[in-house]
Amino acid sequence: HGGELGFDKVIWNVVDHHATTHEAVLVLSYFSKDGESGFPGNLSVTATYTLSYDNSLKLHFSATTDQETPVNLTNHTYFNLTGASRDILDHVVTIKSQNYVPVNQDLIPLGYVSSVSGTPLDFTTPTSIGGRINSNFPQLQIGGGYDHTWALSDYNPSLYRHSSPKLPSPPPPPVIASTVTDPLSGRTLKVSTTQPGVQFYTGNFLNTTGKEGKLYGQRYGFCLETQHFPDAVNQPNFESILLKPTHSYEQTIIYAFSTTGGVESKL
């Protein structure tokens, strides 16, 4: 969503691709010129995708700039653990967070975090998406469902803050942000990250045609976009997303897939 032309709408260069007995790797790069979409600085970005034989997909972002500029990269993949045979409302979600970021009527953060306790945004224990999504809680009515950032409980800014000269050596591992399970099939997605927040979006405005002409309607997909808090450049209480020329941006997302004994396997 950055500027007029997001990085999802530009052509990336293939830097490397290779495979071993344990993983397949694809390295992409993009050079964003000074002034592109209104952003200052020449920004060099690398995205490394690693597909491992343990059924995990790791995405590592790195970036450098020659002028101070905001950088907040994430992945907006839609998931449906049923294989899109039905909507996602029966998916069971856990988010490791005690606080979320409230938004205004335009879905822009208000600049502070609020406790999830006693609200439909409490996913500290496994809860179905559809269980409370249609409640009259004002924050859910604004966007027609979940479309908020959760502040991850295990995030440690002293270890992960990209504005420090470099990450500790060895780099700290990503922390678990969320786990999602489809009870019927038993398919499970576990998302880990080095980022401080995760945007949980339930496809409230989804209406598109996918593979083989299949229609993906409202709530037929969910996103878990790990990132720094949205609108951080305008919110003094949020951790800065300004990248300096003397520093590098390094962030990681891991999507790990597994299966458990779902209802279908017992039929």
Short mmCIF file of all heavy atoms in Angstrom, two decimals, residues 91-144:
data_model
loop_
_atom_site.label_atom_id
_atom_site.label_comp_id
_atom_site.label_asym_id
_atom_site.label_seq_id
_atom_site.Cartn_x
_atom_site.Cartn_y
_atom_site.Cartn_z
N HIS A 91 -12.14 -21.37 10.71
CA HIS A 91 -10.73 -21.44 11.09
C HIS A 91 -10.56 -20.99 12.54
O HIS A 91 -11.19 -20.02 12.97
CB HIS A 91 -9.89 -20.54 10.19
CG HIS A 91 -9.68 -21.07 8.80
ND1 HIS A 91 -10.67 -21.62 8.04
CD2 HIS A 91 -8.56 -21.13 8.04
CE1 HIS A 91 -10.19 -21.98 6.87
NE2 HIS A 91 -8.90 -21.69 6.84
N VAL A 92 -9.70 -21.67 13.26
CA VAL A 92 -9.45 -21.36 14.67
C VAL A 92 -8.11 -20.64 14.78
O VAL A 92 -7.08 -21.13 14.31
CB VAL A 92 -9.46 -22.63 15.52
CG1 VAL A 92 -9.08 -22.31 16.97
CG2 VAL A 92 -10.84 -23.30 15.47
N VAL A 93 -8.13 -19.47 15.41
CA VAL A 93 -6.97 -18.58 15.41
C VAL A 93 -6.47 -18.33 16.83
O VAL A 93 -7.27 -18.16 17.76
CB VAL A 93 -7.33 -17.22 14.76
CG1 VAL A 93 -6.16 -16.24 14.83
CG2 VAL A 93 -7.77 -17.43 13.32
N THR A 94 -5.15 -18.30 16.97
CA THR A 94 -4.50 -17.82 18.18
C THR A 94 -3.51 -16.73 17.77
O THR A 94 -2.76 -16.91 16.82
CB THR A 94 -3.74 -18.93 18.91
OG1 THR A 94 -4.62 -20.01 19.20
CG2 THR A 94 -3.15 -18.42 20.23
N ILE A 95 -3.54 -15.60 18.47
CA ILE A 95 -2.58 -14.52 18.23
C ILE A 95 -1.88 -14.23 19.56
O ILE A 95 -2.55 -13.97 20.56
CB ILE A 95 -3.25 -13.25 17.69
CG1 ILE A 95 -3.96 -13.53 16.37
CG2 ILE A 95 -2.21 -12.14 17.50
CD1 ILE A 95 -4.72 -12.33 15.80
N LYS A 96 -0.55 -14.27 19.56
CA LYS A 96 0.20 -14.06 20.80
C LYS A 96 0.32 -12.56 21.07
O LYS A 96 1.33 -11.93 20.83
CB LYS A 96 1.58 -14.70 20.70
CG LYS A 96 1.52 -16.23 20.57
CD LYS A 96 2.85 -16.87 20.85
CE LYS A 96 3.21 -16.73 22.33
NZ LYS A 96 4.47 -17.47 22.66
N SER A 97 -0.77 -12.02 21.57
CA SER A 97 -0.82 -10.58 21.80
C SER A 97 -1.86 -10.25 22.86
O SER A 97 -2.95 -10.82 22.88
CB SER A 97 -1.17 -9.85 20.50
OG SER A 97 -1.42 -8.49 20.73
N GLN A 98 -1.52 -9.29 23.68
CA GLN A 98 -2.44 -8.77 24.70
C GLN A 98 -3.05 -7.44 24.29
O GLN A 98 -3.95 -6.94 24.95
CB GLN A 98 -1.70 -8.61 26.04
CG GLN A 98 -1.03 -9.86 26.56
CD GLN A 98 -2.02 -10.90 27.04
OE1 GLN A 98 -3.14 -10.56 27.44
NE2 GLN A 98 -1.63 -12.16 27.02
N ASN A 99 -2.53 -6.85 23.20
CA ASN A 99 -2.95 -5.51 22.81
C ASN A 99 -3.10 -5.39 21.30
O ASN A 99 -2.38 -6.05 20.54
CB ASN A 99 -1.94 -4.46 23.29
CG ASN A 99 -1.81 -4.42 24.80
OD1 ASN A 99 -2.67 -3.89 25.49
ND2 ASN A 99 -0.71 -4.97 25.31
N TYR A 100 -4.02 -4.55 20.88
CA TYR A 100 -4.21 -4.29 19.46
C TYR A 100 -4.19 -2.78 19.22
O TYR A 100 -4.21 -1.97 20.16
CB TYR A 100 -5.54 -4.88 18.97
CG TYR A 100 -6.77 -4.10 19.37
CD1 TYR A 100 -7.39 -3.22 18.49
CD2 TYR A 100 -7.33 -4.24 20.65
CE1 TYR A 100 -8.52 -2.49 18.86
CE2 TYR A 100 -8.46 -3.52 21.03
CZ TYR A 100 -9.04 -2.65 20.13
OH TYR A 100 -10.15 -1.93 20.50
N VAL A 101 -4.14 -2.40 17.95
CA VAL A 101 -4.08 -0.99 17.57
C VAL A 101 -5.46 -0.55 17.07
O VAL A 101 -5.88 -0.94 15.98
CB VAL A 101 -3.03 -0.76 16.47
CG1 VAL A 101 -3.00 0.72 16.07
CG2 VAL A 101 -1.65 -1.22 16.94
N PRO A 102 -6.20 0.25 17.82
CA PRO A 102 -7.50 0.75 17.37
C PRO A 102 -7.36 1.66 16.16
O PRO A 102 -6.32 2.32 15.98
CB PRO A 102 -8.04 1.53 18.59
CG PRO A 102 -7.22 1.08 19.74
CD PRO A 102 -5.88 0.73 19.19
N VAL A 103 -8.42 1.73 15.35
CA VAL A 103 -8.39 2.54 14.13
C VAL A 103 -9.59 3.48 14.10
O VAL A 103 -10.57 3.30 14.82
CB VAL A 103 -8.41 1.65 12.87
CG1 VAL A 103 -7.14 0.80 12.80
CG2 VAL A 103 -9.66 0.75 12.86
N ASN A 104 -9.49 4.50 13.22
CA ASN A 104 -10.61 5.41 13.03
C ASN A 104 -11.53 4.91 11.92
O ASN A 104 -11.36 3.78 11.43
CB ASN A 104 -10.12 6.84 12.75
CG ASN A 104 -9.33 6.95 11.45
OD1 ASN A 104 -9.42 6.10 10.56
ND2 ASN A 104 -8.55 8.01 11.33
N GLN A 105 -12.47 5.72 11.50
CA GLN A 105 -13.46 5.29 10.51
C GLN A 105 -12.84 5.00 9.15
O GLN A 105 -13.44 4.32 8.32
CB GLN A 105 -14.55 6.38 10.36
CG GLN A 105 -15.43 6.54 11.58
CD GLN A 105 -16.26 5.29 11.87
OE1 GLN A 105 -16.74 4.63 10.96
NE2 GLN A 105 -16.43 4.98 13.15
N ASP A 106 -11.63 5.49 8.92
CA ASP A 106 -10.92 5.22 7.66
C ASP A 106 -9.90 4.11 7.82
O ASP A 106 -9.04 3.91 6.95
CB ASP A 106 -10.22 6.49 7.17
CG ASP A 106 -11.22 7.59 6.83
OD1 ASP A 106 -12.25 7.27 6.17
OD2 ASP A 106 -10.99 8.75 7.22
N LEU A 107 -9.96 3.38 8.93
CA LEU A 107 -9.06 2.27 9.23
C LEU A 107 -7.61 2.73 9.43
O LEU A 107 -6.67 1.96 9.24
CB LEU A 107 -9.12 1.19 8.15
CG LEU A 107 -10.47 0.46 8.02
CD1 LEU A 107 -10.46 -0.48 6.82
CD2 LEU A 107 -10.80 -0.31 9.30
N ILE A 108 -7.43 4.00 9.82
CA ILE A 108 -6.11 4.54 10.13
C ILE A 108 -5.89 4.45 11.64
O ILE A 108 -6.77 4.83 12.42
CB ILE A 108 -5.99 6.00 9.67
CG1 ILE A 108 -6.27 6.12 8.17
CG2 ILE A 108 -4.61 6.55 10.00
CD1 ILE A 108 -5.34 5.32 7.29
N PRO A 109 -4.74 3.95 12.10
CA PRO A 109 -4.49 3.82 13.54
C PRO A 109 -4.65 5.13 14.29
O PRO A 109 -4.32 6.22 13.77
CB PRO A 109 -3.03 3.33 13.59
CG PRO A 109 -2.85 2.59 12.31
CD PRO A 109 -3.64 3.35 11.30
N LEU A 110 -5.15 5.02 15.51
CA LEU A 110 -5.37 6.18 16.35
C LEU A 110 -4.11 6.60 17.09
O LEU A 110 -4.09 7.66 17.72
CB LEU A 110 -6.49 5.90 17.35
CG LEU A 110 -7.88 5.69 16.73
CD1 LEU A 110 -8.89 5.27 17.80
CD2 LEU A 110 -8.36 6.95 16.02
N GLY A 111 -3.07 5.75 17.05
CA GLY A 111 -1.80 6.14 17.64
C GLY A 111 -1.50 5.55 19.00
O GLY A 111 -0.55 5.96 19.67
N TYR A 112 -2.30 4.59 19.43
CA TYR A 112 -2.06 3.94 20.71
C TYR A 112 -2.54 2.49 20.63
O TYR A 112 -3.18 2.08 19.66
CB TYR A 112 -2.79 4.67 21.84
CG TYR A 112 -4.29 4.81 21.64
CD1 TYR A 112 -5.17 3.81 22.06
CD2 TYR A 112 -4.82 5.95 21.05
CE1 TYR A 112 -6.54 3.93 21.87
CE2 TYR A 112 -6.19 6.09 20.86
CZ TYR A 112 -7.04 5.07 21.28
OH TYR A 112 -8.40 5.20 21.09
N VAL A 113 -2.22 1.70 21.64
CA VAL A 113 -2.68 0.31 21.71
C VAL A 113 -3.70 0.18 22.83
O VAL A 113 -3.67 0.94 23.80
CB VAL A 113 -1.52 -0.68 21.93
CG1 VAL A 113 -0.54 -0.63 20.76
CG2 VAL A 113 -0.80 -0.43 23.25
N SER A 114 -4.60 -0.78 22.68
CA SER A 114 -5.62 -1.07 23.68
C SER A 114 -5.60 -2.55 24.02
O SER A 114 -5.23 -3.38 23.17
CB SER A 114 -7.01 -0.68 23.17
OG SER A 114 -7.14 0.70 23.02
N SER A 115 -6.02 -2.88 25.20
CA SER A 115 -6.06 -4.27 25.63
C SER A 115 -7.14 -5.04 24.87
O SER A 115 -8.23 -4.51 24.62
CB SER A 115 -6.33 -4.36 27.13
OG SER A 115 -6.53 -5.70 27.54
N VAL A 116 -6.83 -6.28 24.52
CA VAL A 116 -7.82 -7.13 23.86
C VAL A 116 -8.76 -7.77 24.87
O VAL A 116 -9.81 -8.32 24.50
CB VAL A 116 -7.14 -8.25 23.04
CG1 VAL A 116 -6.26 -7.67 21.97
CG2 VAL A 116 -6.35 -9.20 23.95
N SER A 117 -8.44 -7.68 26.14
CA SER A 117 -9.22 -8.35 27.18
C SER A 117 -10.68 -7.89 27.16
O SER A 117 -10.97 -6.70 27.16
CB SER A 117 -8.61 -8.07 28.55
OG SER A 117 -9.35 -8.70 29.58
N GLY A 118 -11.57 -8.85 27.12
CA GLY A 118 -12.99 -8.54 27.14
C GLY A 118 -13.55 -8.06 25.83
O GLY A 118 -14.69 -7.60 25.78
N THR A 119 -12.77 -8.17 24.75
CA THR A 119 -13.23 -7.71 23.44
C THR A 119 -13.22 -8.88 22.45
O THR A 119 -12.56 -9.89 22.67
CB THR A 119 -12.33 -6.59 22.88
OG1 THR A 119 -11.11 -7.17 22.38
CG2 THR A 119 -12.00 -5.57 23.95
N PRO A 120 -13.89 -8.73 21.30
CA PRO A 120 -13.85 -9.76 20.27
C PRO A 120 -12.49 -9.86 19.57
O PRO A 120 -12.31 -10.73 18.71
CB PRO A 120 -14.93 -9.31 19.27
CG PRO A 120 -15.78 -8.34 20.00
CD PRO A 120 -14.88 -7.67 20.98
N LEU A 121 -11.54 -9.00 19.95
CA LEU A 121 -10.20 -9.07 19.37
C LEU A 121 -9.24 -9.86 20.24
O LEU A 121 -8.04 -9.88 20.00
CB LEU A 121 -9.65 -7.66 19.13
CG LEU A 121 -10.28 -6.92 17.94
CD1 LEU A 121 -11.52 -6.16 18.37
CD2 LEU A 121 -9.29 -5.98 17.29
N ASP A 122 -9.78 -10.55 21.23
CA ASP A 122 -8.96 -11.39 22.11
C ASP A 122 -8.80 -12.78 21.50
O ASP A 122 -9.73 -13.59 21.52
CB ASP A 122 -9.60 -11.47 23.49
CG ASP A 122 -8.74 -12.20 24.50
OD1 ASP A 122 -7.72 -12.80 24.09
OD2 ASP A 122 -9.07 -12.18 25.70
N PHE A 123 -7.62 -13.04 20.95
CA PHE A 123 -7.29 -14.35 20.40
C PHE A 123 -6.14 -14.98 21.17
O PHE A 123 -5.35 -15.74 20.62
CB PHE A 123 -6.92 -14.24 18.91
CG PHE A 123 -8.10 -13.98 18.00
CD1 PHE A 123 -8.45 -12.68 17.67
CD2 PHE A 123 -8.84 -15.04 17.50
CE1 PHE A 123 -9.53 -12.44 16.84
CE2 PHE A 123 -9.92 -14.81 16.67
CZ PHE A 123 -10.26 -13.51 16.33
N THR A 124 -6.05 -14.66 22.46
CA THR A 124 -5.00 -15.24 23.28
C THR A 124 -5.22 -16.74 23.50
O THR A 124 -4.29 -17.47 23.82
CB THR A 124 -4.90 -14.53 24.64
OG1 THR A 124 -6.20 -14.54 25.27
CG2 THR A 124 -4.44 -13.10 24.47
N THR A 125 -6.45 -17.19 23.32
CA THR A 125 -6.76 -18.62 23.32
C THR A 125 -7.42 -18.95 21.99
O THR A 125 -8.01 -18.08 21.34
CB THR A 125 -7.70 -18.99 24.48
OG1 THR A 125 -8.91 -18.22 24.36
CG2 THR A 125 -7.05 -18.71 25.82
N PRO A 126 -7.33 -20.20 21.53
CA PRO A 126 -7.87 -20.56 20.21
C PRO A 126 -9.35 -20.21 20.08
O PRO A 126 -10.18 -20.62 20.89
CB PRO A 126 -7.64 -22.08 20.15
CG PRO A 126 -6.48 -22.33 21.05
CD PRO A 126 -6.65 -21.35 22.18
N THR A 127 -9.66 -19.43 19.05
CA THR A 127 -11.02 -18.93 18.84
C THR A 127 -11.32 -18.92 17.35
O THR A 127 -10.48 -18.55 16.54
CB THR A 127 -11.15 -17.49 19.39
OG1 THR A 127 -10.75 -17.46 20.76
CG2 THR A 127 -12.58 -17.00 19.28
N SER A 128 -12.54 -19.32 17.00
CA SER A 128 -12.90 -19.33 15.58
C SER A 128 -13.07 -17.90 15.07
O SER A 128 -13.51 -17.01 15.80
CB SER A 128 -14.19 -20.11 15.36
OG SER A 128 -15.30 -19.41 15.90
N ILE A 129 -12.73 -17.70 13.81
CA ILE A 129 -12.87 -16.38 13.20
C ILE A 129 -14.32 -15.92 13.21
O ILE A 129 -14.64 -14.77 13.52
CB ILE A 129 -12.32 -16.38 11.77
CG1 ILE A 129 -10.81 -16.60 11.78
CG2 ILE A 129 -12.67 -15.08 11.04
CD1 ILE A 129 -10.19 -16.73 10.40
N GLY A 130 -15.22 -16.84 12.88
CA GLY A 130 -16.63 -16.48 12.77
C GLY A 130 -17.37 -16.34 14.06
O GLY A 130 -18.50 -15.84 14.09
N GLY A 131 -16.73 -16.73 15.17
CA GLY A 131 -17.42 -16.73 16.45
C GLY A 131 -17.91 -15.36 16.90
O GLY A 131 -18.97 -15.23 17.50
N ARG A 132 -17.12 -14.32 16.58
CA ARG A 132 -17.47 -12.98 17.08
C ARG A 132 -17.35 -11.90 16.00
O ARG A 132 -17.49 -10.71 16.30
CB ARG A 132 -16.56 -12.62 18.27
CG ARG A 132 -16.64 -13.60 19.42
CD ARG A 132 -15.53 -13.38 20.43
NE ARG A 132 -14.21 -13.54 19.85
CZ ARG A 132 -13.08 -13.50 20.56
NH1 ARG A 132 -13.11 -13.31 21.87
NH2 ARG A 132 -11.91 -13.64 19.95
N ILE A 133 -17.07 -12.30 14.77
CA ILE A 133 -16.76 -11.33 13.73
C ILE A 133 -17.92 -10.40 13.42
O ILE A 133 -17.72 -9.26 12.98
CB ILE A 133 -16.29 -12.06 12.45
CG1 ILE A 133 -15.58 -11.08 11.50
CG2 ILE A 133 -17.44 -12.75 11.74
CD1 ILE A 133 -14.89 -11.75 10.33
N ASN A 134 -19.14 -10.85 13.66
CA ASN A 134 -20.32 -10.02 13.35
C ASN A 134 -20.90 -9.33 14.58
O ASN A 134 -22.03 -8.85 14.55
CB ASN A 134 -21.40 -10.88 12.69
CG ASN A 134 -20.99 -11.36 11.30
OD1 ASN A 134 -20.40 -10.61 10.53
ND2 ASN A 134 -21.29 -12.62 11.00
N SER A 135 -20.11 -9.26 15.65
CA SER A 135 -20.60 -8.61 16.86
C SER A 135 -20.71 -7.10 16.63
O SER A 135 -20.18 -6.55 15.66
CB SER A 135 -19.66 -8.89 18.03
OG SER A 135 -18.43 -8.21 17.87
N ASN A 136 -21.40 -6.43 17.54
CA ASN A 136 -21.61 -4.98 17.39
C ASN A 136 -20.47 -4.17 18.00
O ASN A 136 -20.63 -2.98 18.27
CB ASN A 136 -22.94 -4.56 18.00
CG ASN A 136 -23.03 -4.88 19.49
OD1 ASN A 136 -22.07 -5.37 20.10
ND2 ASN A 136 -24.18 -4.61 20.09
N PHE A 137 -19.33 -4.80 18.22
CA PHE A 137 -18.16 -4.09 18.74
C PHE A 137 -17.74 -3.04 17.71
O PHE A 137 -17.51 -3.36 16.54
CB PHE A 137 -17.02 -5.08 19.00
CG PHE A 137 -15.83 -4.48 19.71
CD1 PHE A 137 -15.95 -4.05 21.01
CD2 PHE A 137 -14.61 -4.38 19.07
CE1 PHE A 137 -14.85 -3.52 21.68
CE2 PHE A 137 -13.51 -3.84 19.73
CZ PHE A 137 -13.63 -3.41 21.03
N PRO A 138 -17.66 -1.76 18.09
CA PRO A 138 -17.42 -0.69 17.11
C PRO A 138 -16.21 -0.90 16.21
O PRO A 138 -16.27 -0.62 15.01
CB PRO A 138 -17.25 0.56 17.99
CG PRO A 138 -18.05 0.25 19.22
CD PRO A 138 -17.88 -1.22 19.45
N GLN A 139 -15.11 -1.42 16.75
CA GLN A 139 -13.91 -1.61 15.94
C GLN A 139 -14.12 -2.65 14.83
O GLN A 139 -13.51 -2.55 13.77
CB GLN A 139 -12.73 -2.02 16.82
CG GLN A 139 -12.12 -0.88 17.61
CD GLN A 139 -11.36 0.09 16.72
OE1 GLN A 139 -10.49 -0.28 15.95
NE2 GLN A 139 -11.70 1.37 16.81
N LEU A 140 -14.99 -3.60 15.05
CA LEU A 140 -15.28 -4.60 14.01
C LEU A 140 -16.25 -4.05 12.98
O LEU A 140 -16.19 -4.40 11.80
CB LEU A 140 -15.85 -5.87 14.63
CG LEU A 140 -14.87 -6.72 15.45
CD1 LEU A 140 -15.56 -7.98 15.95
CD2 LEU A 140 -13.64 -7.09 14.63
N GLN A 141 -17.14 -3.19 13.41
CA GLN A 141 -18.11 -2.62 12.48
C GLN A 141 -17.47 -1.66 11.49
O GLN A 141 -17.94 -1.51 10.36
CB GLN A 141 -19.23 -1.93 13.27
CG GLN A 141 -20.09 -2.89 14.08
CD GLN A 141 -21.22 -2.20 14.81
OE1 GLN A 141 -21.07 -1.06 15.25
NE2 GLN A 141 -22.35 -2.87 14.94
N ILE A 142 -16.37 -1.03 11.89
CA ILE A 142 -15.71 -0.06 11.01
C ILE A 142 -15.28 -0.71 9.70
O ILE A 142 -15.52 -0.18 8.62
CB ILE A 142 -14.48 0.56 11.72
CG1 ILE A 142 -14.94 1.50 12.84
CG2 ILE A 142 -13.61 1.31 10.72
CD1 ILE A 142 -13.80 2.02 13.70
N GLY A 143 -14.64 -1.88 9.80
CA GLY A 143 -14.12 -2.52 8.60
C GLY A 143 -14.87 -3.75 8.17
O GLY A 143 -14.41 -4.47 7.27
N GLY A 144 -16.00 -4.01 8.79
CA GLY A 144 -16.78 -5.18 8.42
C GLY A 144 -16.12 -6.49 8.82
O GLY A 144 -16.33 -7.52 8.18
#
